Amino acid sequence: MTGRIYRVAPPGHRPVVPAVDLKTAQGAVAALQSPNNATRHLAWTALHGMGKRAEGELQKLWNGPDARQRARALHLLARIRGEESKYVQAALKDKDSDIRITGLRIARERGLDAIPLVRQLVNDPSPQVRRECAIALRHSQSPEAPKLWAALAQQHDGQDRWYLEALGIAADKNEDAYFNAWFAAVGDRWNTPAGRDIIWRSRAKKCPELLVK
């Protein structure tokens, strides 16, 4: 009730706090893999300060088998000055959908142009990746954004409510342009379970009339 943490262990057990070496890239990368948040923060700060000098050790972690650890390495590798696009592109081409999502999120956080990245992933087999693509189009002023949103909307299956909500969030402040691009693409094929979902969620000016139909 007061925030205590109880550690259950066999009789005679003596816990040992691992030594943390933050002066070398190798030691800091080892600390980055700790389950302890405070240790990871210290490691992240040290590695970020090392920049290019830590790249070699971070690459070893990035090329490893554990997706969570790879993501931790990716966040640092994509912050090495001059190497941002290189590692974002590597993430977008990764076989793990979670890594592709992470790459797109890092790109947005780092201020990279999302449009060419969404263009790469617009037909991704993972609906989770495509949802992230939709979110990346939110408030975009690019003339290509409506077409990309329409392509993502056409892949809605009429059953994934999270995909539908991602489309709705993405269309904020661009409702008419995005919806009109989708409507022009589907034409007379709008009246499907997926199409009715999109019309119900959209705030475009055409939607009330279509809802009546």
Side-chain angles (χ1 to χ4, degrees):
M1 296 299 291
T2 55
R4 293 184 179 91
I5 297 175
Y6 295 91
R7 188 185 298 270
V8 181
H13 175 75
R14 294 184 178 183
V16 177
V17 179
V20 177
D21 172 21
L22 300 176
K23 294 183 179 179
T24 66
Q26 184 178 9
V29 167
L32 186 68
Q33 300 172 67
S34 170
N36 181 272
N37 285 335
T39 301
R40 287 208 306 273
H41 170 72
L42 293 173
W44 195 98
T45 303
L47 289 164
H48 185 48
M50 293 178 193
K52 187 74 174 176
R53 292 182 289 115
E55 186 175 15
E57 290 297 327
L58 285 168
Q59 282 180 338
K60 295 178 184 178
L61 190 60
W62 163 242
N63 291 321
D66 189 316
R68 291 174 300 170
Q69 305 296 355
R70 294 183 68 217
R72 293 177 191 177
L74 177 62
H75 272 281
L76 283 157
L77 287 167
R79 284 170 171 78
I80 297 175
R81 185 172 297 179
E83 303 288 349
E84 297 90 345
S85 294
K86 169 185 171 181
Y87 286 107
V88 165
Q89 283 297 327
L92 297 188
K93 296 173 183 176
D94 199 86
K95 64 181 180 180
D96 188 323
S97 61
D98 285 339
I99 295 294
R100 297 198 296 277
I101 290 170
T102 302
L104 189 52
R105 289 179 178 175
I106 290 172
R108 290 172 54 213
E109 184 181 341
R110 303 305 296 161
L112 301 181
D113 184 2
I115 295 299
L117 308 182
V118 172
R119 194 188 305 129
Q120 285 180 243
L121 299 173
V122 70
N123 293 311
D124 195 279
S126 167
Q128 290 84 358
V129 173
R130 298 198 306 273
R131 291 201 308 243
E132 198 65 33
C133 287
I135 297 299
L137 296 175
R138 179 176 168 87
H139 299 163
S140 174
Q141 298 302 309
S142 169
E144 193 176 348
K147 181 180 178 181
L148 290 170
W149 186 91
L152 293 166
Q154 288 177 77
Q155 297 175 76
H156 175 47
D157 61 6
Q159 298 180 359
D160 186 343
R161 60 179 179 168
W162 305 115
Y163 195 99
L164 177 66
E165 185 59 19
L167 292 171
I169 291 170
D172 182 45
K173 302 186 187 304
N174 283 319
E175 287 92 349
D176 289 323
Y178 284 12
F179 182 84
N180 290 344
W182 170 80
F183 195 73
V186 297
D188 295 336
R189 296 175 288 107
W190 64 267
N191 196 1
T192 65
R196 291 193 292 272
D197 262 0
I198 291 169
I199 290 166
W200 173 83
R201 178 59 180 83
S202 176
R203 304 297 180 260
K205 293 176 182 177
K206 285 184 178 179
C207 290
E209 177 186 349
L210 293 169
L211 283 171
V212 172
K213 290 184 179 181

